[in-house]
Amino acid sequence: MSKEAKLELDGKSYTLPTVTGSEGEKAVDVSALRATTNYITLDDGYGNTGSCTSKITFIDGDEGILRYRGIPIEELAEKSNFIETAYLIIYGDLPNHAQIKRFSDLLTDNQFLHEDMKFHFQGFPSGAHPMAILSAMINAASCYDEDLMRWQWGKTKQFDVYVARLISQVRTIAAYSYRKSKGLPLIYPKQNYKYTANFLHMMFSNPYEDFEIKPEVVKALDLIFLLHADHEQNCSTSTVRMVASSQANLFASCAAGVCALWGPLHGGANQSVIEMLQQIHREGDDGSKFITAAKDKNSGRKLMGFGHRVYKNYDPRAKIIKVACDEVLSKLHITDPLLDIAKRLEESALNDSYFVERKLYPNVDFYSGIIMRAIGIPVEMFTVMFAIGRMPGWIANYKEIMDEPKSRIYRPRQVYTGKTINHYVPIHDRK
Ligand code: CMC
């Protein structure tokens, strides 16, 4: 039975419809509120606002549940791989043999960048942050396709090709931006390598010798991509949807997602976690000084890799990554003092009333950096790894609003708190 919400405003009573999701999530539909009452809702930071309905990803933050298209993240982490999971997220179901073959072929056919794009890479200063290059180059890649430039919302026959091109090329661009920042020659992708192995090849091979592709390294990085593949309406995905709602093309929308992801409160946290652990190590702190500072709002510090807007329980991705972290370090015979510091920090925080009361647990970024360090990914590339992983989620969200016949441009309102009517004063009369 559908319920209604009652609202009393200025002595009048209004009824508002409610919406219930397939997992029982409840929402009051306020979309007609302004037209009937002249009020809007105010929710700074959108903490309590559903911006859309979506069929892609389900999160229960209180229970620590994450599912892509209904499939628990734990099952996908154990049994699937990044490319199969990408297909699931974008197209809604696990692919059969023919579907995954076509998808893989499309990825391979679209992995080369237009040769002229190399000149763009040359234009960046050495030491440019790879996230800046990534965003700029994804946008630039769209200029090399006339059809994409004539993008017609919802009528683009080539959509599957663009999906494959974006997923494939984000990896090529990412590797090139690293090579460029180090002044190294660019390495082309290989036809016979799978997605993640090919990325490692483009990052670390040299023109004379192929990089040794270790299966445990491929497995660990592929898992990181898979665990980042979608996370419902986070800051970058909402940005992609916002840009997409203006009917901008797929590449332009996802380039905007990269910019939103870059910040240290979002995807940039994985870089900040390692920098925090390095600082603690350098200062010989056992972690307690840092925890004290993180609890002090005036210190400007936070325990990076802890806390989440949605999870008020252990982030299920962090659980999987923590196990994978121990596994890969032991297989590669690496001991990393930063892992010991991270474990000590986690233990102290989980027993500290500040973190317990606020339900602050490790998030996906807390241990992922330690894996990436162990497999040789440079710290400035960590957020780029997040962006490669998140691409299927951005594309699926883009597709979801493009497929919705009643899609409208995203345009929130505000409550204006500035000056009331004010008049222009010529400069010589101003105080
Ligand atoms: N260290 C210390 N205090 C914290 C932290 C932290 N990492 N996170 C939240 N708090 C405090 C916050 O100051 C507030 O305290 P009070 O109630 O006394 O004012 C309380 O906990 C509630 O936090 P909030 O500010 O309402 O949380 P939010 O939902 O606005 O922000 C967050 C979520 C992830 C931005 C935040 O927890 C944070 O900055 N964490 C560190 C950065 C980080 O790890 N980001 C990666 C997120 S997961 C990957 C992704 O999806 O992007």
Side-chain angles (χ1 to χ4, degrees):
M1 195 183 72
S2 69
K3 289 182 192 153
E4 283 179 336
K6 293 256 182 283
L7 180 69
E8 297 281 338
L9 269 178
D10 302 331
K12 283 193 190 155
S13 175
Y14 302 90
T15 46
L16 298 168
T18 63
V19 180
T20 305
S22 52
E23 288 285 350
E25 290 181 306
K26 297 183 184 71
V28 178
D29 181 349
V30 294
S31 47
L33 189 68
R34 186 169 175 278
T36 50
T37 66
N38 216 19
Y39 277 79
I40 60 166
T41 55
L42 182 62
D43 179 19
D44 192 26
Y46 308 128
N48 202 41
T49 294
S51 61
C52 58
T53 58
S54 176
K55 294 184 168 58
I56 304 166
T57 289
F58 171 68
I59 299 176
D60 182 333
D62 295 325
E63 297 297 325
I65 290 173
L66 168 62
R67 297 181 200 140
Y68 298 156
R69 301 285 185 182
I71 304 182
I73 192 68
E74 294 78 8
E75 281 181 37
L76 291 166
E78 192 194 332
K79 298 177 184 162
S80 185
N81 59 49
F82 174 60
I83 290 304
E84 185 184 57
T85 298
Y87 185 100
L88 166 76
I89 289 174
I90 296 166
Y91 295 107
D93 291 301
L94 286 169
N96 61 26
H97 280 299
Q99 288 165 329
I100 197 69
K101 163 118 188 25
R102 177 164 185 272
F103 191 49
S104 300
D105 289 349
L106 274 179
L107 291 172
T108 306
D109 292 348
N110 285 280
Q111 63 188 353
F112 285 94
L113 301 180
H114 192 291
E115 277 293 292
D116 291 352
M117 279 187 73
K118 282 199 208 157
F119 299 112
H120 291 274
F121 282 100
Q122 283 168 16
F124 289 101
S126 58
H129 197 287
M131 283 297 274
I133 303 181
L134 187 70
S135 164
M137 295 304 276
I138 290 174
N139 218 353
S142 68
C143 307
Y144 289 87
D145 188 307
E146 277 184 31
D147 288 338
L148 196 54
M149 288 292 93
R150 285 195 291 266
W151 181 264
Q152 266 200 299
W153 183 256
K155 293 193 184 123
T156 306
K157 284 192 219 112
Q158 298 271 76
F159 191 74
D160 289 354
V161 175
Y162 292 134
V163 167
R165 187 170 303 165
L166 190 47
I167 291 183
S168 204
Q169 291 190 356
V170 66
R171 169 194 60 165
T172 312
I173 294 172
Y176 278 19
S177 44
Y178 166 69
R179 307 276 309 180
K180 158 70 198 161
S181 72
K182 297 281 168 219
L184 297 168
L186 304 183
I187 301 288
Y188 288 97
K190 282 198 184 213
Q191 206 182 4
N192 57 332
Y193 276 8
K194 290 202 184 303
Y195 190 86
T196 302
N198 225 341
F199 173 70
L200 290 165
H201 160 69
M202 286 188 278
M203 284 279 289
F204 301 123
S205 288
N206 69 54
Y208 306 118
E209 196 182 6
D210 280 355
F211 175 72
E212 184 196 350
I213 306 284
K214 292 189 180 149
E216 55 273 27
V217 171
V218 173
K219 187 176 167 210
L221 188 56
D222 199 83
L223 177 71
I224 288 183
F225 290 155
L226 183 152
L227 293 175
H228 286 86
D230 193 39
H231 212 236
E232 55 121 295
Q233 303 312 314
N234 53 82
C235 175
S236 56
T237 303
S238 302
T239 301
V240 171
R241 285 185 89 114
M242 173 72 81
V243 178
S245 77
S246 75
Q247 305 196 353
N249 76 52
L250 180 67
F251 281 54
S253 304
C254 291
V258 173
C259 294
L261 186 72
W262 192 1
L265 297 189
H266 191 8
N270 53 18
Q271 178 170 345
S272 307
V273 169
I274 290 293
E275 287 163 355
M276 169 186 81
L277 296 174
Q278 283 170 329
Q279 185 192 343
I280 293 172
H281 187 52
R282 242 187 347 262
E283 291 174 355
D285 175 15
D286 61 357
S288 54
K289 269 201 270 171
F290 197 95
I291 294 229
T292 307
K295 294 191 285 184
D296 174 5
K297 300 275 188 287
N298 300 317
S299 73
R301 287 187 175 169
K302 274 184 166 184
L303 187 53
M304 298 312 285
F306 253 71
H308 201 275
R309 174 63 61 80
V310 180
Y311 292 120
K312 300 302 166 199
N313 200 326
Y314 214 104
D315 180 336
R317 303 167 300 172
K319 259 189 210 159
I320 298 169
I321 285 195
K322 190 178 174 187
V323 174
C325 192
D326 279 328
E327 204 178 291
V328 74
L329 262 65
S330 115
K331 280 196 179 143
L332 297 174
H333 308 293
I334 293 174
T335 37
D336 187 343
L338 300 195
L339 178 60
D340 299 332
I341 295 175
K343 285 186 175 169
R344 270 204 311 276
L345 272 181
E346 179 190 340
E347 201 188 326
S348 311
L350 295 182
N351 286 302
D352 186 308
S353 58
Y354 174 95
F355 294 91
V356 174
E357 280 159 19
R358 290 169 179 77
K359 300 187 177 168
L360 302 171
Y361 292 87
N363 60 49
V364 68
D365 292 318
F366 196 64
Y367 287 104
S368 63
I370 295 174
I371 298 189
M372 290 195 268
R373 221 167 100 91
I375 64 181
I377 306 287
V379 74
E380 66 278 13
M381 287 292 286
F382 285 8
T383 313
V384 173
M385 300 301 103
F386 195 150
I388 297 175
R390 185 53 55 86
M391 199 51 80
W394 290 338
I395 294 171
N397 276 274
Y398 185 99
K399 184 172 184 311
E400 193 164 75
I401 58 169
M402 192 178 76
D403 289 346
E404 167 57 57
K406 285 192 249 149
S407 248
R408 300 172 78 196
I409 192 164
Y410 279 25
R411 202 319 187 170
R413 289 191 177 258
Q414 64 167 21
V415 175
Y416 175 69
T417 55
K419 289 179 181 168
T420 54
I421 181 86
N422 192 15
H423 294 288
Y424 182 82
V425 179
I427 194 158
H428 49 82
D429 291 339
R430 291 177 210 160
K431 284 183 205 144

